[in-house]
């Protein structure tokens, strides 16, 4: 007995798989809050394994009681197991494991291991344990601790419901709703939720990313603490631009939330976080409210239904908020409907705070100091604050803070776009500039011309001065004349050099801005397709339609769903077609419907298998499976239209557990567009500048591998239309030359490494070409100054951190004729 007891008391887990499995079931029952009696597990053990199993289970149970602080009675266990009283005493009095944490362990259970999903498939259960809790912050609904995840060795944030609210059903419901909303908003601007659990005292909590950074309010305070001296004004301008850029990013995050059918309703600088690497996140979704379908259609970023929850009107309780940032309709429900427009109002108040360092509304009386002034739009203008406030930003602020919801920006993306236009030194939609401002702006936009004129004027002045000196001291000042002439010449060269540097800088900024526009369009399209592919109704429709003839009722329902999907998204994200392929690559539906492609298998297409290239069509391969993640396809020629296209694709999963269990998708959903559809690239460019978009990925559109296909150019659509209508067809398509493609590929690799290191986007060697030739220009021998900027989508789903479609933007400007 003694030797067996010593062996049983060893701290390492048992090598016996049956005992190890019984211990894991016992630990899982503790995590679920319903521990299984030890006797029940011993009854199923083999005779020779009873003592070893008892020792394992006693260690687990004693550790659990000690972690929760509950009292332990050794005598009670000896009465329960009289034949093993010595073993009970040995384990009870054994010192704790030296590796055990000194702080209490919190368990988080994800899923019920004994439950089944709606379609009868098992639910996968996972668990996490958090230790070393440290208090971080407290709000009205909850309090936040930082903790360490024992399994993944990372710091996380744990948000608990506050102790005084733990027994209030409405507050618990609101707290869990906040966790659900935050967890289902898959966006870089929302901290991801890892798990939900319950503390030993019964308080619910959820674990999420621990944000290392600061609040926007802290940055605003630092900005207004500057003394404003001349030596600091340049830095002050940069600081203002940084604050405005963070606010624009927050507005885009809110637009995504509105698109997913939820309004935040507590937007303020304290709830906007700036990460250590400049990322912007919106936190504290405790007051988030679901939107009804009508409001989502009218005001969402993309006009499509994408429910964030399926529980009707959401948690009960009155709408709250922070008084200075609350919209008139939040304070008076008869004033208007609470929704996305309320968040836009709060964005306007936040911009007011950025511009002035103050609140537009203050005081202690809700009616006199807040409700009435907000409904009347009565507050001091930002420009009256004593600071130098740009008039365009003031106009954006006032428009967002319009008393009536219908008079504000229609969408949060419109608010963000006006801020981006101001940052890019472009006119904003809500402010009409005077002729003087337009002149100044024109001077800034055509800085190379302005600097050249200034240089010429300065040169003429210098020559005049030199002439006067020569006339006054004609005979003995030849050496002085030469020196003065040389100085004037050097000055002219310096001014010309500065003009060229300014011109190059303007092109670089334009290229980086254009690359960000393309990246945001890729990000938006992938998120839309993924959201539609995740709808449970689509999985059911696809299962019902699979194997059915095209005129059957299930196929008609699938086709109707797809046509409605295209119709609801075309308003803001234009597409040329949507289509659905089953798990064999067979096209079951297409919007618009086309007999040429329905029921045909496209297993070989890159947009089905994600292989990077279309595969040879013969022989047929049975090992090709649907892609498993959102994807931007390679170029391909549409069989239905003959045009060159790109598809944005997402897998369709049969159930939520298929992907983690390693099963294949049941099909794919795709949105396709013709090349040449990125007209927004021209936004922000000067009149003499042109933007081109090209793909560095190899494709087989012309029958053999080739790279450098032009995806957008002002003359591309006309060129392709003319070429595809002739016998030449898909031959000799417009492409960059191979030498340039090789150079751009190396540039792309260096830019990707730069982004992954978090170094921003400074200029890279090789990104500028002073003798670029535009192959679609009507002047084939003309030379252009061009800047190349690779396109990357940052923080796409956090895995990988940067999504690389293999595209590059070229912004060019004609050299002098």
């Amino acid at each position: 007995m003694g030797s067996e007891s010593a062996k049983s008391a060893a701290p390492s887990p048992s090598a016996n798989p049956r005992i190890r499995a019984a211990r894991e079931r016992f630990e899982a029952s503790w995590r679920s809050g319903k521990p299984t009696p030890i006797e029940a597990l011993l009854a199923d053990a083999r005779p020779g394994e009873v003592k070893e199993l008892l020792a394992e289970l006693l260690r687990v149970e004693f550790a659990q009681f000690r972690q929760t602080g509950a009292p332990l009675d050794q005598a009670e266990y000896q009465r329960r197991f009289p034949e093993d009283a010595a073993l009970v005493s040995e384990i009870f009095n054994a010192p704790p494991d030296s590796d055990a944490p000194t702080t209490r362990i919190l368990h988080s259970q994800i899923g019920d291991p004994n439950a089944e999903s709606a379609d009868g498939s098992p639910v996968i259960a996972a668990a996490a344990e958090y230790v070393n809790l440290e208090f971080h912050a407290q709000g009205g609904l909850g309090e936040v601790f930082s903790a360490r995840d024992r399994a993944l060795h990372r710091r996380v944030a744990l948000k608990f419901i506050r102790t005084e609210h733990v027994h209030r059903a409405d507050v618990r419901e609101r707290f869990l709703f906040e966790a659900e909303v935050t967890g289902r908003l898959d966006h870089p601007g929302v901290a991801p939720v890892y798990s939900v659990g319950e503390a030993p005292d019964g308080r619910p909590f959820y674990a999420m990313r621990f944000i290392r950074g600061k609040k926007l309010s802290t940055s605003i305070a630092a900005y207004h603490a500057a003394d404003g001296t001349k030596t600091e004004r340049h830095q002050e301008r940069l600081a203002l631009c940084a604050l405005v850029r963070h606010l624009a990013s927050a507005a885009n995050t809110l637009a995504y939330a509105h698109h997913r059918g939820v309004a935040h309703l507590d937007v303020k600088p304290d709830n906007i976080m700036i990460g250590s690497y400049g990322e912007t996140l919106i936190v504290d979704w405790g007051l988030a409210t679901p939107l009804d379908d009508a409001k989502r259609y009218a005001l969402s970023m993309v006009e499509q239904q994408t429910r964030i929850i399926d529980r009707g009107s959401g948690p009960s309780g009155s709408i709250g908020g922070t008084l200075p940032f609350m919209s008139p309709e939040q304070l008076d429900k008869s004033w208007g409907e609470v929704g996305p427009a309320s968040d836009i109002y709060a964005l306007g108040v936040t911009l007011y705070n950025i511009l002035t360092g103050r609140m537009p509304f203050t005081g202690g009386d809700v009616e006199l100091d807040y409700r009435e002034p907000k409904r009347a739009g009565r507050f001091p203008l930002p420009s009256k604050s004593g600071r130098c406030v740009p008039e365009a930003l003031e106009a954006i602020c006032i428009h967002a803070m319009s008393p009536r919801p219908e008079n504000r920006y229609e969408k949060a993306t419109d608010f963000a776009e006006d801020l981006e236009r101001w940052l890019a030194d472009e006119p904003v939609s809500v402010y009409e500039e005077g002729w003087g401002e337009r002149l100044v702006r024109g001077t800034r936009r055509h800085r190379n011309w302005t600097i050249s004129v200034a240089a010429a004027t300065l040169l003429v002045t210098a020559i005049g001065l030199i002439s006067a000196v020569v006339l006054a001291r004609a005979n003995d000042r030849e050496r002085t004349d030469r020196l003065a002439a040389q100085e004037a010449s050097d000055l002219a060269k310096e001014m010309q050099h500065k003009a060229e540097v300014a011109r190059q800088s303007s092109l670089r900024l334009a290229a980086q801005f254009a690359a960000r526009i393309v990246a945001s369009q890729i990000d938006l399209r992938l998120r839309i397709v993924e959201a539609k592919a995740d709808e449970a109704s689509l999985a059911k429709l696809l299962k019902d339609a699979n194997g059915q003839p095209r005129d059957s009722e299930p196929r008609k329902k699938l086709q109707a769903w797809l046509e409605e999907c295209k119709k609801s998204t075309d308003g803001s994200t234009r597409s040329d077609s949507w289509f659905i392929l089953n798990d064999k690559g067979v096209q079951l539906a297409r919007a618009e419907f086309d007999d040429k492609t329905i029921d045909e298998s496209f297993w070989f297409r890159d947009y089905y298998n994600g292989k990077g290239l279309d595969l040879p069509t013969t022989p047929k391969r049975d090992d090709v499976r649907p892609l498993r993640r959102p994807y931007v396809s390679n170029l391909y020629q549409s069989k239905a239209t003959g045009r060159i296209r790109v598809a944005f694709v997402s897998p369709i999963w049969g159930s939520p557990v298929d992907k983690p269990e390693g099963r294949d998708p049941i099909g794919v959903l795709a949105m396709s567009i013709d090349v040449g559809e990125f007209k927004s690239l021209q936004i922000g460019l000067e009149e003499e500048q042109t933007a081109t978009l090209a793909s560095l990925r190899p494709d087989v559109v012309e029958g053999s591998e080739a790279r450098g296909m032009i995806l957008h150019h002002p003359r591309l659509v006309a060129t392709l239309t003319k070429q595809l209508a002739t016998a030449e067809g898909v031959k000799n398509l417009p492409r960059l030359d191979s030498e340039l493609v090789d150079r751009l590929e190396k540039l792309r690799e260096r830019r990707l490494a730069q982004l992954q290191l978090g170094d921003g986007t400074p200029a890279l060697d090789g990104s500028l070409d002073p003798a670029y030739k535009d192959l679609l220009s009507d002047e084939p021998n003309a030379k252009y100054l061009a800047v190349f900027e690779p396109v990357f989508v940052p923080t796409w789903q956090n895995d990988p951190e940067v999504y690389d479609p293999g595209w590059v933007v070229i912004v060019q400007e004609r050299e002098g004729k």
Side-chain angles (χ1 to χ4, degrees):
M1 172 81 71
S3 62
E4 286 184 352
S5 298
K7 182 179 180 180
S8 299
S12 59
S14 173
N16 188 318
R18 288 185 297 276
I19 293 177
R20 201 162 57 242
R23 173 178 175 147
E24 289 172 356
R25 289 199 303 274
F26 188 54
E27 289 175 331
S29 71
W30 270 95
R31 287 193 293 269
S32 69
K34 298 178 181 180
T36 303
I38 292 177
E39 291 84 350
L41 293 171
L42 292 177
D44 297 329
R46 296 179 180 180
E49 298 173 349
V50 171
K51 289 188 181 297
E52 185 178 2
L53 177 59
L54 175 60
E56 293 282 344
L57 301 183
L58 286 173
R59 288 193 194 92
V60 172
E61 188 155 302
F62 289 170
Q64 292 290 340
F65 273 108
R66 286 169 179 144
Q67 288 162 9
T68 60
L72 269 171
D73 186 352
Q74 178 181 346
E76 172 62 23
Y77 280 86
Q78 289 176 328
R79 285 192 296 272
R80 287 171 60 185
F81 308 103
E83 296 181 1
D84 299 288
L87 176 63
V88 170
S89 177
E90 180 181 358
I91 296 176
F92 186 91
N93 295 299
D97 183 359
S98 61
D99 292 331
T102 58
T103 58
R104 181 173 299 174
I105 302 176
L106 292 180
H107 298 281
S108 174
Q109 177 71 39
I110 309 173
D112 181 355
N114 300 313
E116 289 188 349
S117 61
D119 61 1
S121 60
V123 174
I124 299 299
E129 293 182 343
Y130 305 109
V131 298
N132 302 337
L133 276 68
E134 298 177 3
F135 179 78
H136 181 66
Q138 179 172 289
L141 185 63
E143 52 188 7
V144 179
F145 291 77
S146 67
R148 182 173 64 86
D149 186 325
R150 293 185 77 189
L152 299 178
H153 307 291
R154 62 180 176 183
R155 297 301 294 177
V156 300
L158 300 183
K159 184 167 184 177
F160 295 81
I161 193 170
R162 291 178 60 173
T163 305
E164 59 266 33
H165 300 321
V166 70
H167 298 300
R168 288 184 54 186
D170 59 332
V171 179
R172 287 176 69 97
E173 183 183 11
R174 166 61 66 182
F175 182 83
L176 294 174
F177 176 73
E178 176 186 359
E180 180 182 353
V181 167
T182 310
R184 296 182 66 176
L185 288 176
D186 179 19
H187 191 277
V190 181
V193 170
Y194 303 136
S195 60
V196 178
E198 187 172 287
D201 60 4
R203 288 193 297 163
F205 71 91
Y206 61 91
M208 57 185 171
R209 172 188 167 190
F210 184 75
I211 304 170
R212 292 176 172 82
K214 57 188 175 182
K215 298 177 181 179
L216 180 64
S217 56
T218 303
S219 296
I220 294 174
Y223 166 64
H224 286 281
D227 61 15
T229 60
K230 289 184 179 180
T231 57
E232 291 191 0
R233 284 178 186 170
H234 177 66
Q235 293 299 323
E236 185 178 343
R237 169 76 179 186
L238 293 177
L240 175 60
C241 289
L243 293 173
V244 171
R245 189 171 291 109
H246 287 302
L247 187 60
S249 180
N252 282 321
T253 300
L254 286 171
Y256 171 75
H258 298 163
H259 154 62
R260 294 302 307 273
V262 65
H264 187 282
L265 299 188
D266 196 18
V267 177
K268 56 185 178 181
D270 278 348
N271 286 341
I272 299 174
M273 296 293 297
I274 302 173
S276 301
Y277 296 98
E279 65 270 33
T280 309
L281 300 97
I282 296 181
V283 299
D284 199 349
W285 295 78
L287 298 180
T289 297
L291 310 175
D292 57 51
D293 291 344
K295 203 180 302 179
R296 185 182 300 110
Y297 269 103
L299 296 176
S300 63
M301 179 175 66
V302 179
E303 296 179 351
Q304 71 172 37
Q305 291 178 320
T306 320
R307 284 196 178 278
I308 190 70
I309 52 116
D310 298 311
R311 52 171 82 180
S313 61
S316 59
S318 60
I319 295 176
T322 305
L323 277 173
F325 297 89
M326 292 172 69
S327 62
E329 61 269 21
Q330 288 176 268
L331 292 168
D332 182 358
K333 293 182 180 178
S334 66
W335 187 256
E337 291 190 26
V338 174
S342 307
D343 285 344
I344 292 173
Y345 186 91
L347 288 170
V349 179
T350 302
L351 180 56
Y352 187 102
N353 186 223
I354 290 173
L355 296 175
T356 67
R358 306 172 185 173
M359 290 291 107
F361 309 100
T362 57
D365 190 301
V366 174
E367 180 66 30
L368 295 178
D369 297 326
Y370 295 98
R371 185 177 289 117
E372 283 302 324
K374 285 174 181 281
R375 289 189 300 194
R378 190 172 63 250
F379 56 87
L381 293 176
S383 55
K384 303 298 183 182
S385 66
R387 295 188 67 93
C388 182
V389 175
E391 294 183 5
L393 285 183
E394 181 177 59
I396 295 171
C397 173
I398 294 172
H399 189 71
M401 292 177 61
S402 296
R404 289 290 181 185
E406 61 271 18
N407 293 334
R408 301 169 201 155
Y409 285 99
E410 182 180 1
K411 293 176 284 190
T413 46
D414 297 336
F415 176 85
E417 184 177 342
D418 259 355
L419 293 182
E420 291 285 1
R421 285 182 171 276
W422 180 81
L423 289 168
D425 201 20
E426 289 290 319
V428 302
S429 66
V430 295
Y431 176 66
E432 184 175 351
E433 297 176 325
W435 69 268
E437 290 174 292
R438 289 196 295 270
L439 178 61
V440 172
R441 182 184 302 282
T443 300
R444 287 197 300 265
R445 293 186 63 182
H446 299 280
R447 67 190 69 180
N448 52 347
W449 176 82
T450 305
I451 294 174
S452 297
V453 170
T457 302
L458 186 59
L459 179 61
V460 170
T461 303
I463 292 173
L465 291 173
I466 293 170
S467 300
V469 172
V470 169
L471 291 174
R473 305 175 182 181
N475 297 323
D476 56 351
R477 299 297 180 91
E478 182 180 352
R479 181 173 176 273
T480 303
D481 291 346
R482 287 199 306 269
L483 290 174
Q486 184 62 47
E487 288 177 1
S489 176
D490 291 344
L491 179 60
K493 290 178 181 178
E494 181 182 354
M495 295 299 290
Q496 289 174 349
H497 174 71
K498 289 182 177 180
E500 182 61 23
V501 169
R503 180 187 179 204
Q504 294 178 8
S505 176
S506 174
L507 274 179
R508 290 189 192 280
L509 289 174
Q512 291 175 4
F513 184 68
R516 286 201 300 269
I517 289 176
V518 175
S520 66
Q521 291 192 356
I522 293 173
D523 182 56
L524 177 60
R525 291 176 185 276
L526 286 176
R527 291 182 187 278
I528 290 172
V529 175
E530 185 183 29
K532 297 302 290 185
D534 283 345
E535 290 188 7
S537 59
L538 173 58
K540 184 178 185 308
L541 288 170
L542 180 53
K543 290 176 182 178
D544 292 344
N546 207 9
Q548 300 294 320
R550 72 171 62 176
D551 58 351
S552 65
E553 193 62 27
R555 288 285 293 276
K556 290 179 180 177
K557 288 182 179 179
L558 183 65
Q559 178 67 28
W561 181 92
L562 189 64
E563 289 177 354
E564 178 59 30
C565 172
K566 183 178 188 302
K567 177 182 176 182
S568 65
T569 59
D570 269 351
S572 54
T573 50
R574 183 188 176 280
S575 61
D576 292 294
S577 71
W578 284 71
F579 54 86
I580 296 172
L581 310 181
N582 68 8
D583 60 341
K584 303 298 183 185
V586 176
Q587 189 179 103
L588 298 185
R590 183 178 185 275
E592 305 289 339
F593 183 85
D594 196 305
D595 283 325
K596 296 178 183 176
T597 56
I598 293 293
D599 289 332
E600 183 170 343
S601 177
F602 292 94
W603 64 271
F604 58 91
R605 286 291 200 198
D606 169 58
Y607 58 63
Y608 167 74
N609 54 55
K611 299 289 187 183
L613 282 175
D614 285 356
L615 302 175
T617 56
T618 56
K620 172 71 169 67
R621 289 173 54 180
D622 295 328
D623 61 334
V624 180
R625 309 303 303 152
L627 51 80
R628 298 179 60 85
R629 61 176 303 152
Y631 183 66
V632 179
S633 83
N634 213 325
L635 298 166
Y636 67 96
Q637 185 179 25
S638 169
K639 184 172 182 180
T641 65
R643 299 189 184 98
I644 311 301
R645 288 185 170 174
V646 173
F648 301 83
V649 198
S650 182
I652 304 170
W653 299 100
S655 72
V657 300
D658 282 0
K659 183 177 181 180
E661 287 188 349
R663 300 191 188 113
D664 286 329
I666 62 173
V668 299
L669 174 69
M671 169 208 297
S672 71
I673 61 171
D674 289 349
V675 297
E677 288 297 330
F678 289 90
K679 299 181 178 64
S680 56
L681 276 172
Q682 293 297 130
I683 293 178
L685 297 186
E686 298 183 13
E687 184 177 353
E688 63 270 21
Q689 295 174 344
T690 300
T692 301
L693 180 66
S695 172
L696 304 181
R697 298 165 64 180
D699 63 76
V700 290
V701 173
E702 298 178 67
S704 59
E705 283 193 34
R707 297 188 297 168
M709 174 69 183
I710 303 296
L711 302 179
H712 178 82
H713 186 282
R715 299 170 62 89
L716 178 63
V717 172
T719 300
L720 289 179
T721 301
K722 180 180 179 181
Q723 183 168 327
L724 294 175
T726 64
E728 188 175 15
V730 188
K731 297 293 182 184
N732 301 315
L733 294 175
R735 296 179 182 272
L736 304 178
D737 67 71
S738 58
E739 182 180 348
L740 177 58
V741 170
D742 290 339
R743 181 151 58 97
L744 294 180
E745 181 61 31
K746 293 177 182 177
L747 178 71
R748 185 197 64 80
E749 292 174 358
R750 285 187 287 133
R751 175 66 82 207
L752 179 59
Q754 191 180 61
L755 289 177
Q756 291 172 336
L757 291 173
D759 290 340
T761 53
L764 289 174
D765 291 340
S767 62
L768 185 140
D769 187 344
Y772 173 73
K773 290 190 176 181
D774 183 354
L775 67 134
L776 292 180
S777 171
D778 53 2
E779 300 178 89
N781 295 322
K783 291 184 179 180
Y784 295 83
L785 175 65
V787 172
F788 311 116
E789 185 64 35
V791 175
F792 296 104
V793 183
T795 60
W796 169 249
Q797 295 188 332
N798 296 320
D799 182 24
E801 292 186 356
V802 176
Y803 188 92
D804 177 15
W807 296 355
V808 63
V809 166
I810 305 170
V811 176
Q812 63 199 49
E813 183 176 303
R814 177 78 155 83
E815 293 286 16
K817 296 182 180 180

